[in-house]
Amino acid sequence: MARLSSSFIFSFFLQVALFATCCRGESKKQQHQLPKKHVPFLIFGDSILDAGNNNYINTSTLDQANFWPYGLTFFNYPTGRFCDGRLIPDFIAKYAKLPLIPPFLQPGFRQYYLGVNFASAGAGALVETFQGFVIDLKTQLRYYYKVDSWLRHKLGNDEAKATMSRAVHLFSIGTNDYASPFLTNSTILNNYNKSTYVGMVIGNLTTVIDGIYKRGGRKFAFINLPDLGCVPGIRIIKSGNNGSCFEEATRLASLHNKALSKLLYELEKRLKGFKYSLFDLNSNLRQRMEHPSKYGFKEGETACCGTGEYRGVLSCGGKRPVKEFQLCKHPQKYVFWDSLHLTERTYKQLADQMWGGTTSDSHDVGPYNIKQLFRIH
């Protein structure tokens, strides 16, 4: 693991302190200070949601963001988030009147009453996706089982199951399953037709949802995939593309989104009490890329931090194989922060829609929004 900087060590202790203000100690008196029907927030997935789990695993700097200028605008230090500031779950937690939800692997953290973040930058639903460098979704489920066991020990089986049934489980997964073959020159897509490959990803996600449901989980929120071929880091893969999107990646993401919608509709019918929110990140991000000024941005396609065309080379911070990078002066004017990730301002706009949007407006979230999921008991 890369040596941690003094600024990162500071960020670790600050995050511990932030969460401790809400959940310090394990005495019965302190436990009773929790709202009687409090709603935990449990987070699974990839770099869109990872609050820093990859800081604590033996991986590469390609899958870490614990160095400047990550964290530049809000935290003023790198936290491990692939962003200049906060991510979607940070805003959702704020709106739900929760503290920042900490990474599961954060050393010394053992309080799970209000939730925990299992997400890992680079993770996929398939174990083979960036295997050995990330925490795949199946492993994230094993971590969830550990948290469930901890709650059962603290609260008893019945109360722990009731607590999990109130919890909101947020997922963002699949991007890396479809992007990794192009980013690593893998030949895996030669072994399957596109529908079969997407079916493998959706099948693994289904297994994880079923595992959570069996432990009491009933409320789920999902983010579909962006137009992968138009993300700066994917757009530049095919040379001589004249700025057009990389269609092969886009087709896989489109197939995934259709399969995800179908899966959730079927699970709602099959699993008693299953409630979900599905946010259409794809259309919402495309609108901001194509019409940035409509949403208060200056630049919708080129990233704030990186190098090359569209700043699509993942070199932000100079700690990765390509050291050269440029950094924009005003990240809030950009939709993309680095070649694969969005700015805090973009994430806030998306989180606002996930929290309060409806299917009857242009926000494309339903059948529940996340605010409604937190309020359902």
Side-chain angles (χ1 to χ4, degrees):
M1 183 185 297
R3 184 174 303 185
L4 300 181
S5 67
S6 59
S7 63
F8 177 70
I9 293 170
F10 171 76
S11 76
F12 159 64
F13 283 112
L14 183 57
Q15 287 196 69
V16 171
L18 281 169
F19 202 80
T21 60
C22 182
C23 294
R24 187 179 292 115
E26 296 185 21
S27 71
K28 289 185 178 180
K29 181 179 178 182
Q30 287 164 323
Q31 285 182 30
H32 291 164
Q33 292 174 353
L34 288 168
K36 190 173 182 181
K37 297 290 185 182
H38 75 281
V39 180
F41 190 24
L42 299 157
I43 301 154
F44 302 79
D46 51 32
S47 55
I48 291 179
L49 306 180
D50 182 5
N53 277 304
N54 282 14
N55 297 338
Y56 311 110
I57 64 174
N58 183 22
T59 185
S60 76
T61 53
L62 287 170
D63 296 304
Q64 289 182 316
N66 53 358
F67 45 83
W68 184 88
Y70 291 93
L72 177 70
T73 59
F74 179 79
F75 299 100
N76 298 315
Y77 52 80
T79 64
R81 290 167 173 83
F82 276 80
C83 185
D84 61 298
R86 289 166 289 183
L87 305 175
I88 286 171
D90 299 318
F91 291 108
I92 298 297
K94 178 182 177 182
Y95 303 154
K97 295 181 170 53
L98 294 170
L100 292 174
I101 304 299
F104 175 77
L105 294 182
Q106 182 171 291
F109 174 72
R110 292 295 179 271
Q111 293 285 355
Y112 303 119
Y113 297 111
L114 299 183
V116 65
N117 189 322
F118 305 103
S120 168
L126 302 178
V127 175
E128 295 82 6
T129 298
F130 296 128
Q131 189 169 12
F133 293 94
V134 301
I135 307 162
D136 64 84
L137 191 60
K138 184 178 179 182
T139 301
Q140 292 180 34
L141 179 64
R142 289 205 300 270
Y143 291 164
Y144 169 85
Y145 287 155
K146 289 184 178 181
V147 169
D148 180 66
S149 297
W150 184 91
L151 285 170
R152 289 173 188 273
H153 174 71
K154 296 294 180 183
L155 303 175
N157 286 340
D158 292 344
E159 182 56 32
K161 190 165 186 177
T163 298
M164 283 304 196
S165 73
R166 293 193 300 270
V168 173
H169 304 77
L170 174 63
F171 284 81
S172 168
I173 201 73
T175 293
N176 295 297
D177 296 303
Y178 305 118
S180 61
F182 305 115
L183 294 172
T184 62
N185 294 318
S186 167
T187 59
I188 189 170
L189 291 176
N190 296 334
N191 301 328
Y192 307 96
N193 64 46
K194 290 181 174 61
S195 294
T196 301
Y197 189 76
V198 170
M200 291 162 56
V201 173
I202 293 293
N204 280 17
L205 174 59
T206 306
T207 298
V208 171
I209 295 170
D210 283 337
I212 293 171
Y213 182 86
K214 287 175 182 175
R215 296 293 179 104
R218 294 295 182 269
K219 298 187 288 185
F220 296 81
F222 299 87
I223 301 170
N224 75 5
L225 303 189
D227 188 345
L228 286 183
C230 298
V231 171
I234 309 297
R235 188 190 287 245
I236 66 170
I237 287 176
K238 195 170 183 180
S239 59
N241 223 19
N242 295 324
S244 60
C245 300
F246 186 38
E247 287 302 322
E248 194 170 354
T250 290
R251 282 196 294 271
L252 283 167
S254 179
L255 285 171
H256 175 94
N257 289 344
K258 290 176 184 176
L260 177 61
S261 294
K262 182 181 178 183
L263 168 68
L264 297 178
Y265 177 75
E266 292 173 348
L267 289 177
E268 186 180 39
K269 292 192 295 183
R270 176 167 68 85
L271 302 177
K272 183 179 179 181
F274 179 89
K275 295 178 174 64
Y276 74 91
S277 173
L278 175 59
F279 177 62
D280 190 358
L281 172 66
N282 181 37
S283 64
N284 279 278
L285 182 56
R286 190 187 312 118
Q287 285 295 313
R288 285 162 176 78
M289 293 174 67
E290 294 176 355
H291 311 286
S293 61
K294 181 179 176 181
Y295 299 92
F297 298 101
K298 175 185 173 184
E299 176 54 58
E301 296 183 336
T302 295
C304 170
C305 188
T307 193
E309 190 177 10
Y310 299 105
R311 292 191 181 135
V313 177
L314 188 61
S315 62
C316 185
K319 301 280 189 180
R320 302 184 176 115
V322 176
K323 306 303 180 187
E324 177 190 352
F325 73 98
Q326 293 83 45
L327 177 65
C328 71
K329 289 184 178 180
H330 303 289
Q332 70 274 15
K333 295 182 179 180
Y334 285 70
V335 171
F336 283 91
W337 162 247
D338 67 15
S339 64
L340 300 169
H341 307 97
L342 308 175
T343 58
E344 179 186 89
R345 186 177 188 189
T346 310
Y347 282 133
K348 183 183 188 303
Q349 291 185 7
L350 300 175
D352 289 349
Q353 294 179 356
M354 291 172 63
W355 178 256
T358 67
T359 52
S360 62
D361 57 26
S362 60
H363 293 162
D364 302 311
V365 60
Y368 294 91
N369 60 38
I370 294 185
K371 182 179 181 180
Q372 291 168 331
L373 287 184
F374 269 95
R375 291 187 173 182
I376 294 170
H377 291 299

